[in-house]
Amino acid sequence: MASGADAERPRDRLERKPSTIDHTILSPGTVSINVQGAFIVDADPSNPPTPSDDGAQHDTDIRLPNHISVIGGSLAKLVYFSHEPDSKDAGGRLNFVKYETDQIDQCLDFIKRLQLDFHAQNGSRSGKMSIMATGGGAYKYYDEMRRVLGAEILREDEMDCLIMGLDFFITEIPREVFTYDDTDPMHFEEARADIYPYLLVNIGSGVSMVKVSGRREFERIGGTSLGGGTLWGLLSLLTGARTFDDMLKMAEVGDNAAVDMLVGDIYGADYSKIGLKSTTIASSFGKVFKMKRQGETQAEDHGGVSHESREEDNDASHSQPVFKPEDISRSLLYAVSNNIGQIAYLQSEKHKLEHIYFGGSFIRGHRQTIQTLSYAINFWSKGEKKAYFLRHEGYLGSVGAFLKRQPRNWGRRNSFEEYPVVRPTIQHREA
C-alpha cells in the first residue's frame, strides 16, 4: 500500500523552544503510511487545530487505507480514513477528532456526514458501512448508534484493541513515542520491533496497568481507582471549572506550594540525607488543614465579640476564599499524577518490566501532567527507568479497533495478525 501523497520527512531533531514543544505535544501531526515506512507530518504551528462550531476538536492525522472509527469516555474520539486529494494510490490519511461525551449527538451527526460522503464518492461500489465499537460506549450508545447511523454495530474487546493500537504506534510510527525531562523536554524514541515485554499504564477515569508479553498476549496486573475521573470529580466540587481542559488550564498557572506542605515547610531547607529537595511535596493539601486550624484559633481568641459581629466576620471570610482554584488544581493534579507514577514504578519492578508507556485521555498532551509522571518514574527508579509517552495517546483503542480490519500483510513490519479485507468501518468506544 502506498501513501496517497508524497511528503517531506520531518526534521530528525525537534527545536527546543517551549512554544514548539507545546505545539508538537498538543498537535500530534499527520502520519504518512506506505509499504516502506511511516512518518508524522507535523501541522503548521501558525495554524493549530481549534474546536469547530459542531463541538469537534480536530487533532492531526495519520495516513492509511479505508475505514472510520470512534472512541469515547469523558471524550468520544473519532478516527476516520480519507484519501489524499488527487491521488490514485490506495493509501491515505487517518484523521483524529474528539468530542465531549455530552456532545454525542454532534459526534454521530459528524459520522453520518462521513457516511454520506463515502457513499457519494464510491457510488454503487460503496455497499453498507459497518461500525466497530469497543469499550463501554459499545453498550451505552449501541441503540442510539444503530438508530442514527442505520448500520450494523460490531463490538470489539476493549483491552485487545488498546494493546493492538499501542503496538502499532511503537513499532510503525517514528516521532510518535517520546520521553520528557527538564534538560531534553521532548526526546523522540526510534520506532522498533523488539518491544516486548512492556508495561502500559492506561489512565482514563480510573487506571489500568497491563503487562504486555507479546502480540495479543497481555494481562492486567494492577491499577488504581484514583485517575482522571478523580481529578475531574474533585475539581468540579472545589473549583468553578466545567470541563477537564479548563481544569488543566487552571493547573498550568497555579502554585501548589500555596496548598501543599513541602519538605521546606517542615525542615526549612532540603533534607539532603534522604534525597529530598525543599520543594518536594511532603503532604498534598497539607497546608489546608493547618491554615484552617489557624483561622479557627483566631476566631476562638475573639470569643468576647457579639454573635452579630461573628456573623459579619464569617460572611467576610466566605466572600474571600483563602485558596485559589488554580492552586487547588495544580495540587490535585500533582497528587493524582504522583500516585499513578509511583504505583506504575512498583508494578514495573515487581514484574521486571523496563519500558513503561503511559496512555489514555487523562494526559491529553498536557505538559505538566507529562512532566509529573516522568519525574515520578525517574525519582522512584533513581534514574534507571523512563516514562514513555505517545503523541496520539488518547486514540490507542480506536486505532486498535481500526487495525483489526486491515488487509493482509499491512504495515511496515507486518506486525499485526492478518485479517480479511472488509468494507470501511466506524468504531466507537467508551472508557
Side-chain angles (χ1 to χ4, degrees):
M1 178 181 65
S3 63
D6 294 333
E8 294 182 357
R9 185 172 295 276
R11 298 183 304 276
D12 293 332
R13 188 177 299 274
L14 180 71
E15 293 181 24
R16 292 178 182 170
K17 297 178 182 178
S19 59
T20 302
I21 293 169
D22 285 340
H23 172 78
T24 306
I25 294 175
L26 294 171
S27 302
T30 65
V31 180
S32 182
I33 303 291
N34 55 43
V35 293
Q36 297 174 331
F39 58 89
I40 296 176
V41 183
D42 289 314
D44 182 0
S46 65
N47 187 26
T50 56
S52 61
D53 293 337
D54 63 0
Q57 301 175 46
H58 294 259
D59 286 325
T60 41
D61 317 320
I62 295 181
R63 296 184 188 174
L64 289 171
N66 216 354
H67 288 53
I68 305 177
S69 146
V70 178
I71 180 172
S74 56
L75 292 175
K77 298 160 191 172
L78 171 67
V79 178
Y80 67 94
F81 172 81
S82 62
H83 286 288
E84 295 295 337
D86 304 320
S87 173
K88 297 180 181 179
D89 295 324
R93 179 179 306 216
L94 272 186
N95 304 273
F96 297 85
V97 184
K98 57 179 176 281
Y99 290 83
E100 300 286 347
T101 49
D102 59 5
Q103 298 173 326
I104 192 64
D105 290 340
Q106 293 96 314
C107 180
L108 295 180
D109 287 343
F110 185 85
I111 298 171
K112 188 70 176 178
R113 293 197 298 272
L114 293 177
Q115 285 182 296
L116 295 174
D117 290 344
F118 171 74
H119 292 309
Q121 292 172 8
N122 293 275
S124 60
R125 297 178 295 124
S126 62
K128 188 175 182 180
M129 182 175 286
S130 298
I131 299 175
M132 305 298 296
T134 181
Y139 300 91
K140 184 174 182 179
Y141 299 114
Y142 179 79
D143 292 335
E144 188 172 359
M145 285 191 290
R146 290 190 63 184
R147 177 180 61 81
V148 174
L149 303 175
E152 181 182 5
I153 310 298
L154 305 176
R155 291 180 263 212
E156 296 288 349
D157 180 75
E158 177 181 4
M159 195 60 67
D160 203 32
C161 293
L162 191 70
I163 301 304
M164 183 170 287
L166 179 57
D167 279 0
F168 164 72
F169 282 121
I170 296 174
T171 60
E172 301 286 346
I173 310 300
R175 291 175 60 86
E176 173 67 35
V177 178
F178 66 94
T179 58
Y180 186 100
D181 64 46
D182 292 336
T183 58
D184 191 0
M186 198 170 191
H187 177 78
F188 289 109
E189 298 292 319
E190 290 294 328
R192 56 192 183 87
D194 57 334
I195 61 175
Y196 307 113
Y198 65 80
L199 176 66
L200 168 62
V201 182
N202 190 52
I203 314 173
S205 298
V207 183
S208 287
M209 299 186 184
V210 183
K211 177 184 177 181
V212 183
S213 303
R215 186 174 61 184
R216 304 191 72 179
E217 180 183 347
F218 56 86
E219 63 173 322
R220 187 181 187 275
I221 57 176
T224 173
S225 61
L226 304 181
T230 307
L231 182 69
W232 195 338
L234 289 177
L235 290 184
S236 296
L237 294 173
L238 298 173
T239 73
R242 295 186 177 181
T243 69
F244 198 22
D245 288 330
D246 287 343
M247 297 170 190
L248 294 178
K249 289 177 182 177
M250 288 196 303
E252 288 180 0
V253 297
D255 179 11
N256 70 296
V259 177
D260 296 337
M261 183 178 294
L262 309 181
V263 169
D265 296 322
I266 300 173
Y267 296 99
D270 297 346
Y271 193 168
S272 303
K273 187 174 182 178
I274 58 175
L276 297 178
K277 297 180 180 179
S278 62
T279 55
T280 301
I281 299 172
S283 174
S284 296
F285 282 76
K287 287 180 180 174
V288 175
F289 177 74
K290 182 179 179 180
M291 295 180 70
K292 182 175 181 294
R293 287 297 302 271
Q294 288 175 346
E296 291 173 349
T297 300
Q298 291 174 359
E300 292 171 358
D301 290 342
H302 295 285
V305 299
S306 67
H307 177 71
E308 182 179 351
S309 298
R310 289 179 186 176
E311 288 184 344
E312 291 176 355
D313 291 341
N314 288 336
D315 291 341
S317 64
H318 287 311
S319 66
Q320 297 179 354
V322 175
F323 303 104
K324 297 179 181 179
E326 294 82 1
D327 300 339
I328 294 172
S329 299
R330 173 68 73 88
S331 173
L332 193 57
L333 175 66
Y334 279 168
V336 172
S337 299
N338 280 324
N339 182 62
I340 294 170
Q342 183 176 13
I343 296 174
Y345 164 72
L346 293 173
Q347 290 289 1
S348 72
E349 285 292 287
K350 179 180 178 181
H351 295 275
K352 296 179 173 56
L353 302 172
E354 180 181 354
H355 293 88
I356 306 172
Y357 294 91
F358 288 88
S361 57
F362 172 76
I363 300 173
R364 303 225 187 165
H366 184 243
R367 195 210 285 220
Q368 202 65 47
T369 307
I370 291 171
Q371 188 274 337
T372 305
L373 292 169
S374 296
Y375 176 83
I377 297 299
N378 181 73
F379 177 84
W380 292 110
S381 71
K382 294 180 170 58
E384 294 182 0
K385 295 186 178 182
K386 296 179 180 179
Y388 294 90
F389 302 92
L390 296 95
R391 294 170 69 182
H392 292 89
E393 30 82 3
Y395 296 92
L396 302 183
S398 57
V399 170
F402 181 98
L403 292 169
K404 286 199 168 190
R405 302 295 165 175
Q406 291 307 309
R408 178 184 295 254
N409 292 329
W410 180 85
R412 176 173 50 174
R413 297 187 179 94
N414 301 328
S415 54
F416 303 101
E417 293 187 4
E418 297 173 358
Y419 294 87
V421 178
V422 297
R423 294 189 179 96
T425 61
I426 301 175
Q427 304 118 29
H428 188 283
R429 169 183 173 263
E430 173 96 8

